[in-house]
Amino acid sequence: MRIPCPICGERDAGEFTYGGDATVARPAMDETDPAVWNRFVYDRENPRGAHLEFWQHTGGCRAWIKLQRNVLTHEVGACELVGPWSKPPQNDAQTKRQEPVE
């Protein structure tokens, strides 16, 4: 299987690590009901066809991506960066180093 990394280009799936189902919503961190966490961790659908998944390019740029993959044929569809890599770069005025004031 080949995965199109938005940063490095198309690479072999061996360079990536599966990160889980991208359609599951995580409970709030202050959730105290064990049944809610049990459902989050263990109750999963086993879909057929196109599915959204998280993958990390561990053998390359280390970026996280959200990938649409057909779980029957392993055909890869849309791919996008997630996390801090997905944000557009800031303008030059915000990224320039501030000189210390004396």
Side-chain angles (χ1 to χ4, degrees):
M1 183 171 75
R2 305 284 289 175
I3 296 178
C5 176
I7 296 173
C8 303
E10 189 174 285
R11 298 288 194 265
D12 184 75
E15 292 187 17
F16 294 83
T17 301
Y18 178 73
D21 185 345
T23 64
V24 176
R26 182 183 184 91
M29 291 305 291
D30 59 353
E31 177 61 61
T32 59
D33 183 1
V36 172
W37 283 101
N38 187 64
R39 280 192 302 275
F40 170 71
V41 173
Y42 297 108
D43 293 350
R44 295 282 191 253
E45 296 292 322
N46 192 8
R48 290 184 177 192
H51 188 62
L52 290 176
E53 303 171 330
F54 289 120
W55 288 80
Q56 185 183 22
H57 193 182
T58 51
C61 64
R62 305 202 51 83
W64 280 92
I65 59 174
K66 188 187 314 181
L67 180 73
Q68 182 180 4
R69 181 176 70 93
N70 186 312
V71 296
L72 294 175
T73 65
H74 297 295
E75 181 182 355
V76 175
C79 177
E80 66 181 71
L81 291 170
V82 294
W85 303 274
S86 65
K87 296 181 178 128
Q90 298 175 340
N91 65 36
D92 288 331
Q94 292 175 327
T95 58
K96 285 185 180 177
R97 184 180 159 171
Q98 297 282 332
E99 295 299 322
V101 178
E102 294 184 23

